[in-house]
């Protein structure tokens, strides 16, 4: 982990998004530091995914700004970047793991091609080296090397999510966005995936924003937690603190309702 | 010509030709960029070369000599009917000899005889978008072109090697034009790709159904995409033409009977005929052809 720079990696200030008369999220401010995992929790419709879309520049905010510290150390306003620069950022220094693997993977392209796409997009033109790199990443996400030429539509749900992660990690991003990465997976597969994400965060100093409605996922993975309701952040803090000793009545309700199970 | 009512020169009306020429000029100014144009209905079905015919009609002048080939042949249906079409609607001279033609309309081959300055080669294009089968959204492919975001094209070649051990694309082999745009060279065999590079003739591409025109001005750099460890390779044939004996040219397989008999002959009929007519000129009847 490179701890030389104490400035946050990403700074969001006063982010708001309106969908016509409806509120997506309002006045959200958030810092993310290098190597830090932030979980965004809340019920359906609380604005979690809108916030993720804004932070990752896939949505344009109605108000507010997002600044990001580039690899060269310069802080840039993300919404002032040109589209080419933004795309480059998205496929090199960032990753995005979708709940539905179909959105993050090319289902008609082999696993190796999926992992190699970012490399080829950034100028790799040596087939042997692209393939060797893809093999290494498949191994790191515990997909057998001999599946490299198989298409992801022959993979199980858990494998698809791991392939998505490999596809994103291949350019060594510093920040990864995850939208319900464990959604729809059974508990043992979830556990393996969480384990993997945790080890990557530790090994590569990866920062992550994870949107989830599953408090167990948030507790396992995240250092800090952001609780959202009706488009607003109602409580933030260290994960253990918030989950063990929630201040807001809504958070108390949320924690209580989960722990009953 | 008689006094009877006749077509406007080259079938299309002058306003339409003007519109197409504007698109052509833009295409020449931005080599490899697909320029949208208001493609017209033509008196032939889509897929028969409506795009090429419109481009040809727009560049033809009264003193031009037209050659039309279909897979290299001057005497197959598509070539014969388009040649007749322009004989009838433009009253211009036609030829089958590459060297005599000023405008050559082609469906998927580039003649074996080298082209020269002053000639125009018009390609009929079914699908102008090289990224089409990788990314179905036209809005997205246009953006990819605009941002020069071409990793996807390389993924296709990667998949080829992963599946077949080599780049198995043999026609419509993607090229990079002048270091900028990726272009589909229409379904020409990849054998012809090197002929596009630094070609002295003007190369125009017309896609009628898709309403796109693109172009290569003379002496444009055209590079076939590849990998460092899997470089582009031109198709090679292990024999010469069964009729004229030429080697190093593109061959067609012709089935000669129903007992498995077959022969390989020049795809370019004009070239084959000229080789047979003058075998002594270039040696022993076996010729290496300049690319």
């Amino acid at each position: 982990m490179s701890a030389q720079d104490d400035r946050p990696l990403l700074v969001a200030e006063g982010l708001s998004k309106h969908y016509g008369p409806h509120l997506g999220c309002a006045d959200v401010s958030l810092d993310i530091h290098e190597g830090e995992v932030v979980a965004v929790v809340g019920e359906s419709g609380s604005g979690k995914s809108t916030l993720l879309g804004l932070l990752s520049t896939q949505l344009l905010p109605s108000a507010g700004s997002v600044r990001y510290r580039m690899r060269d150390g310069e802080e840039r306003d993300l919404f002032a970047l040109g589209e080419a620069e933004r795309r480059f950022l998205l496929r090199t220094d960032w990753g995005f793991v979708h709940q539905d693997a179909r959105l993050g993977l090319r289902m008609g392209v082999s696993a190796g091609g999926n992992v190699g796409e970012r490399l080829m997009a950034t100028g790799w033109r040596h087939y042997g080296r692209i393939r060797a790199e893809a093999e290494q990443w498949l191994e790191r996400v515990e997909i057998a090397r001999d599946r490299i030429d198989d298409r992801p539509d022959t993979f199980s749900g858990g494998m698809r999510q791991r392939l998505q992660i490999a596809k994103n990690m291949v350019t060594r991003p510093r920040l990864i966005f995850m939208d319900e990465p464990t959604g729809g997976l059974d508990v043992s597969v979830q556990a393996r995936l969480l384990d993997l994400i945790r080890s990557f965060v530790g090994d590569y100093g990866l920062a992550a924003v994870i949107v989830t409605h599953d408090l167990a996922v948030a507790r396992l993975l995240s250092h800090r937690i952001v609780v959202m309701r009706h488009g607003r952040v109602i409580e933030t803090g260290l994960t253990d603190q918030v989950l063990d000793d929630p201040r807001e009545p809504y958070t108390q309700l949320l924690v209580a309702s989960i722990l009953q199970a | 010509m008689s006094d009877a009512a006749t077509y406007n020169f080259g079938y299309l009306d002058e306003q339409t030709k003007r519109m197409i020429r504007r698109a052509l000029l833009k295409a020449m100014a931005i080599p490899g960029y697909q320029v949208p144009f208001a493609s017209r209905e033509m008196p032939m079905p889509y897929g028969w070369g409506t795009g090429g015919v419109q481009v040809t009609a727009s560049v033809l002048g009264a003193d031009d000599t037209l050659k039309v080939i279909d897979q290299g042949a001057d005497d197959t249906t598509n070539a014969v009917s388009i040649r007749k079409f322009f004989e009838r609607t433009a009253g211009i001279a036609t030829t089958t000899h590459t060297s005599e033609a000023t405008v050559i309309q082609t469906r998927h081959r580039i003649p074996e005889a080298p082209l020269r300055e002053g000639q125009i080669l018009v390609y009929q294009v079914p699908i102008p978008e090289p990224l089409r089968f990788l990314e179905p959204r036209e809005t997205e492919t246009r953006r990819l072109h605009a941002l020069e975001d071409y990793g996807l094209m390389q993924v296709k070649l990667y998949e080829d090697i992963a599946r077949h051990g080599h780049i198995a694309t043999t026609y419509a082999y993607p090229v990079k034009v002048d270091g900028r745009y990726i272009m589909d060279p229409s379904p020409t065999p990849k054998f012809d790709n090197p002929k596009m590079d630094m070609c002295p003739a003007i190369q125009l591409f017309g896609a009628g159904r898709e309403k796109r025109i693109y172009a290569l001005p003379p002496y444009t750099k055209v590079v076939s995409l590849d990998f460092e460890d899997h470089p582009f390779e031109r198709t090679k044939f292990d024999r010469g033409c069964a009729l004229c004996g030429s080697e190093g040219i593109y061959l067609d397989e012709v089935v000669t009977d129903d007992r498995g008999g077959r022969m390989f002959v020049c795809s370019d009929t004009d070239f084959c005929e000229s080789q047979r007519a003058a075998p002594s000129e270039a040696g022993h009847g076996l010729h290496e052809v300049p690319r």
Side-chain angles (χ1 to χ4, degrees):
Chain A
M1 226 192 276
S2 55
Q4 308 102 320
D5 208 326
D6 288 339
R7 288 177 297 163
L9 198 56
L10 183 139
V11 180
E13 271 168 8
L15 276 182
S16 299
K17 174 77 182 172
H18 296 273
Y19 299 104
H22 302 288
L23 181 67
C25 73
D27 198 25
V28 177
S29 298
L30 187 68
D31 289 359
I32 296 158
H33 290 262
E34 247 169 277
E36 183 185 43
V37 180
V38 177
V40 182
V41 301
E43 61 193 8
S44 298
S46 61
K48 305 184 301 260
S49 297
T50 299
L51 178 60
L52 196 71
L54 290 171
L55 291 176
S56 60
T57 71
Q58 314 210 332
L59 294 174
L60 281 177
S62 311
S65 72
V66 179
R67 275 178 298 129
Y68 183 73
R69 179 157 52 78
M70 300 298 212
R71 282 192 182 183
D72 60 8
E74 195 191 340
E75 280 182 34
R76 303 280 302 270
D77 178 356
L78 289 181
F79 295 105
L81 291 182
E83 193 175 356
E85 279 181 301
R86 205 149 63 210
R87 276 183 176 242
F88 185 74
L89 188 68
L90 257 166
R91 64 168 185 244
T92 53
D93 213 17
W94 284 5
F96 204 109
V97 176
H98 297 265
Q99 175 176 4
D100 181 357
R102 246 172 274 260
L103 297 173
L105 296 173
R106 294 190 187 279
M107 300 308 275
V109 169
S110 70
N114 265 295
V115 177
E117 181 175 348
R118 278 178 166 226
L119 298 174
M120 290 181 251
T122 46
W124 287 44
R125 289 292 179 270
H126 191 285
Y127 176 80
R129 282 204 280 276
I130 293 166
R131 200 171 165 82
E133 189 77 7
E135 275 183 351
Q136 273 189 25
W137 278 102
L138 288 182
E139 199 150 88
R140 279 178 204 154
V141 298
E142 300 168 24
I143 295 175
R145 277 173 185 244
D146 60 6
R147 299 299 301 270
I148 190 168
D149 291 331
D150 293 343
R151 290 159 39 148
D153 45 16
T154 68
F155 285 10
S156 70
M159 282 171 81
R160 287 182 193 179
Q161 291 310 68
R162 294 203 299 275
L163 181 59
Q164 261 203 92
I165 291 172
K167 178 182 176 130
N168 280 296
M169 286 300 295
V170 71
T171 49
R172 307 285 174 101
R174 290 187 300 164
L175 176 60
I176 197 159
F177 299 96
M178 301 193 191
D179 191 1
E180 304 275 10
T182 57
L185 302 177
D186 73 55
V187 185
S188 63
V189 174
Q190 270 193 27
R192 247 175 107 187
L193 188 67
L194 293 176
D195 216 36
L196 191 76
I197 296 173
R198 233 154 67 131
S199 72
F200 279 167
V201 168
D203 295 350
Y204 300 103
L206 186 67
V209 180
I210 299 180
V211 161
T212 181
H213 62 266
D214 187 341
L215 291 187
V217 169
R219 189 190 277 279
L220 261 171
L221 282 181
S222 66
H223 305 115
R224 274 199 303 143
I225 197 165
V226 174
V227 184
M228 290 191 75
R229 191 188 189 199
H230 299 328
R232 291 173 194 279
V233 173
I234 56 165
E235 186 164 0
T236 69
L238 297 177
T239 303
D240 291 343
Q241 223 168 44
V242 171
L243 292 184
D244 291 341
D245 185 16
R247 265 184 308 147
E248 291 292 320
Y250 174 73
T251 317
Q252 289 167 3
L253 189 77
L254 206 64
V255 171
S257 64
I258 299 291
L259 291 182
Q260 272 169 11
Chain B
M1 288 220 180
S2 69
D3 295 338
T6 180
Y7 291 105
N8 187 40
F9 180 80
Y11 183 79
L12 292 175
D13 62 274
E14 293 304 314
Q15 283 303 317
T16 299
K17 286 197 267 184
R18 202 166 132 167
M19 173 272 293
I20 294 174
R21 285 178 200 134
R22 281 203 191 111
L24 287 170
L25 284 175
K26 181 167 181 181
M28 289 282 279
I30 319 171
Y33 172 73
Q34 299 166 46
V35 182
F37 79 110
S39 176
R40 297 291 194 254
E41 294 270 337
M42 296 303 283
M44 60 180 71
Y46 286 130
W48 284 48
T50 53
V53 165
Q54 290 178 74
V55 171
T56 300
S58 307
V59 298
L60 274 183
D63 52 356
D64 269 317
T65 306
L66 179 70
K67 170 184 163 81
V68 184
I69 51 175
D70 173 4
Q71 299 289 0
D74 291 278
D75 51 6
T76 47
T77 318
N78 198 216
V80 170
S81 44
I82 292 175
R83 198 163 53 227
K84 271 198 176 153
F85 175 80
F86 282 114
E87 280 170 2
R88 185 132 157 230
T89 59
I92 45 144
T94 56
T95 180
T96 59
H97 300 306
T98 302
S99 57
E100 288 169 14
T102 52
V103 178
I104 304 171
Q105 182 171 333
T106 173
R107 172 167 170 266
H108 318 336
R109 276 305 316 279
I110 300 174
E112 304 290 357
L115 301 176
R116 56 179 158 74
E117 284 182 26
Q119 285 182 313
I120 299 177
L121 186 59
V122 178
Y123 296 78
Q124 305 171 196
V125 180
I127 297 169
E129 180 50 71
L131 301 165
R132 173 67 48 86
F133 294 108
L134 303 160
E135 173 54 67
R137 290 168 294 179
E138 181 77 14
T139 47
E140 182 66 12
T141 54
R142 282 208 224 180
R143 184 165 284 144
L144 293 176
H145 282 296
L147 298 172
E148 221 179 327
D149 192 349
Y150 288 137
L152 204 51
M153 197 77 245
Q154 214 71 25
V155 171
K156 179 180 184 289
L157 300 180
Y158 171 95
E159 287 292 287
D160 256 11
I161 305 175
R163 206 166 299 158
H164 307 286
H166 61 276
I167 298 177
T169 305
T170 52
Y171 65 94
Y173 191 106
V175 293
K176 187 156 213 173
V177 176
D178 200 25
R180 177 59 180 86
Y181 283 97
I182 290 205
M183 185 186 95
D184 185 336
S186 90
T188 49
K190 72 172 180 179
F191 177 89
D192 285 337
N193 272 18
K195 293 183 198 165
M196 292 185 175
D197 183 33
M198 301 309 273
C199 177
I202 294 175
Q203 301 175 77
L204 305 175
F205 299 77
R209 176 172 32 205
E210 301 267 341
K211 303 177 172 55
R212 293 287 184 277
I213 280 172
Y214 50 104
L216 297 171
Y219 304 108
T220 302
K221 188 127 199 61
V222 178
V223 179
S224 303
L225 300 182
D226 59 4
F227 284 100
E228 286 158 23
D229 48 346
H230 287 268
F232 172 80
E233 265 180 33
R234 204 175 187 187
T235 314
K236 288 194 189 76
F237 296 88
D238 56 1
R239 66 190 85 196
C241 170
L243 296 177
C244 72
S246 301
E247 290 183 352
I249 38 91
Y250 197 77
L251 299 178
D252 278 345
E253 182 181 9
V254 181
V255 174
T256 52
D257 55 39
D258 57 0
R259 291 184 300 279
R262 60 197 57 207
M263 63 195 279
F264 288 84
V265 297
C266 286
S267 141
D268 185 336
T269 52
D270 167 57
F271 177 79
C272 196
E273 277 160 18
S274 64
Q275 293 301 304
R276 279 180 286 162
S280 56
E281 199 177 291
H284 308 77
L286 294 176
H287 318 299
E288 278 298 323
V289 176
R291 77 163 182 84

